[in-house]
Amino acid sequence: MSLNGSTARSEEGPVVLTGATGFIGSRALGALTDAGRGAGVRALVRTVPGDVQKDRSGGVPKSGSDDMLRARPGDMLRARPGDDVKAGSVEWVRGDLTDPDAVRGLCEGARAVVHLASYIGGDERLCQAVNVDATRALMAEARRAGVRRVMHLSTAAVYGAGPHRGITVDEIPAEPVSAVSRTRLAGEAYAREAGAVVLRPGLVLGAGDRWTVPGLRELVERVPAGWDGGRALLSMVDVGDLARLIAAVATGPRQVPPGVYHVGHPDPVRVGDLLAVLARLGVLPPRPDADWPWSTCLERLRSTPGRVSERQFALVGRDHWYRADEIWELTAEPPGPGPLSRLADAAQWYREKVGRGA
């Protein structure tokens, strides 16, 4: 029997994956289908990747044409081999997560559901539609289908402004301060009702990161000094290590008990060390000699307009460290050498996207 009392699905069924084309989801897709796990994946996407369309049709049709591939449950399309998707097959299911018809039947016969899709923009209506309503519908479908393992990706930002130093899960009450965080916390509730493993990562680094390091680039220009000694401790994880962990939760030999877990490398990262490594790799400018107290940092930020808010500055300039040992121990998955050690692998991508150049 499954956790919710329904008949358990076959361990040989596919893993249902949302967010498969995103920053974290694309790496999770690779981890799930690699040679070691070899899981089949049923990925719900708004647009089937062009490489798959080309492999199927011999050429990529124009959007909106009658020849456009129409993927649906049961239409198995093998993912094009690449650096991330090494083995196994992917059933691409075209649909919008916010459309109830797209979710209906999605979880039939699945061995696991991995829900990584979220909306992190400023439209509160979309926050509600994606992070709450779509999560509720997907979790209900997973329960109806009797899926044995369900995993939901949330965020440590649900705790609010901080500072937070070495806290355990729910040691302090969640106090989200943005529409994104509020709705992601609300979505957690439906996942927990479905018996899901809910992961709350801190900052995620790696190729494809379009928030953390790009945000740091802006901040070091607006606040050109050390930030209160660079002593803030941050929970961070490399996207590849996070992807391995997600795959272990979904398909590993050890089934993780339902509940909420922090995700980050067990050792927190000092923001000063992070900035120094990024400067050494040519991603950020060289570090200045000056160091300013936090109050001066905030004054300078307020006097220099930009996209990164004071609240977002505090997420990297003040302690935001959440203890994350438990999830690595439960999965028996090694956490790896740490996100700073992995940055060299992503440095070229960051240099091209963040804009300093090698």
Side-chain angles (χ1 to χ4, degrees):
M1 299 291 285
S2 70
L3 293 169
N4 57 30
S6 301
T7 302
R9 302 297 100 177
S10 169
E11 290 296 329
E12 300 305 315
V15 175
V16 170
L17 177 65
T18 70
T21 59
F23 168 43
I24 297 171
S26 59
R27 296 297 293 271
L29 177 63
L32 286 164
T33 59
D34 73 11
R37 299 185 190 278
V41 173
R42 182 182 296 158
L44 179 67
V45 292
R46 285 179 295 179
T47 303
V48 176
D51 284 347
V52 176
Q53 295 183 28
K54 185 174 182 179
D55 285 350
R56 178 72 170 236
S57 65
V60 180
K62 296 180 180 179
S63 178
S65 76
D66 291 338
D67 293 330
M68 180 64 81
L69 178 68
R70 307 193 186 282
R72 58 191 182 278
D75 186 5
M76 182 68 79
L77 307 172
R78 187 167 297 278
R80 183 180 181 184
D83 292 337
D84 293 326
V85 181
K86 298 182 177 66
S89 55
V90 181
E91 181 185 356
W92 298 100
V93 180
R94 178 177 294 144
D96 191 317
L97 188 61
T98 62
D99 178 3
D101 288 338
V103 175
R104 191 170 296 117
L106 184 68
C107 301
E108 285 296 331
R111 65 191 290 190
V113 170
V114 175
H115 182 33
L116 306 183
S118 65
Y119 174 77
I120 58 173
D123 187 324
E124 293 199 25
R125 181 185 60 83
L126 283 176
C127 283
Q128 175 69 32
V130 177
N131 299 341
V132 183
D133 299 339
T135 298
R136 179 176 60 234
L138 181 63
M139 294 300 134
E141 186 64 22
R143 294 182 71 177
R144 187 196 65 76
V147 179
R148 183 180 291 274
R149 296 193 189 193
V150 180
M151 198 232 81
H152 172 71
L153 188 68
S154 184
T155 172
V158 299
Y159 288 113
H164 305 137
R165 190 181 182 95
I167 67 169
T168 57
V169 172
D170 292 333
E171 180 179 328
I172 60 173
E175 296 180 343
V177 296
S178 68
V180 171
S181 298
R182 286 194 298 273
T183 53
R184 295 189 77 176
L185 180 64
E188 279 190 17
Y190 295 108
R192 295 174 80 166
E193 288 178 4
V197 172
V198 176
L199 302 184
R200 289 177 180 171
L203 301 174
V204 184
L205 302 182
D209 161 33
R210 298 185 181 275
W211 187 88
T212 301
V213 174
L216 289 171
R217 171 68 191 217
E218 177 183 319
L219 287 169
V220 298
E221 293 175 346
R222 292 171 64 189
V223 188
W227 305 335
D228 200 23
R231 63 176 59 93
L233 294 176
L234 308 175
S235 282
M236 291 187 171
V237 65
D238 172 76
V239 65
D241 293 328
L242 174 57
R244 285 192 298 104
L245 182 67
I246 289 169
V249 171
T251 65
R254 297 188 179 186
Q255 184 161 352
V256 177
V260 177
Y261 301 88
H262 293 155
V263 179
H265 193 274
D267 298 327
V269 173
R270 289 180 72 256
V271 69
D273 294 339
L274 171 63
L275 296 177
V277 170
L278 289 169
R280 188 167 65 248
L281 292 171
V283 176
L284 296 182
R287 300 299 301 136
D289 294 330
D291 187 86
W292 294 342
W294 185 244
S295 58
T296 303
C297 291
L298 290 179
E299 290 172 5
R300 176 59 69 93
L301 184 79
R302 293 164 185 157
S303 68
T304 53
R307 299 199 315 175
V308 179
S309 68
E310 183 175 324
R311 177 184 63 81
Q312 291 168 329
F313 184 27
L315 288 175
V316 293
R318 309 302 278 169
D319 288 336
H320 285 83
W321 167 32
Y322 309 94
R323 294 193 180 275
D325 307 74
E326 185 179 18
I327 189 65
W328 301 102
E329 294 169 356
L330 288 171
T331 57
E333 194 71 20
L340 296 189
S341 298
R342 303 285 198 198
L343 277 174
D345 295 334
Q348 182 61 34
W349 187 91
Y350 276 129
R351 285 192 291 263
E352 292 173 356
K353 300 301 180 183
V354 174
R356 181 168 186 264

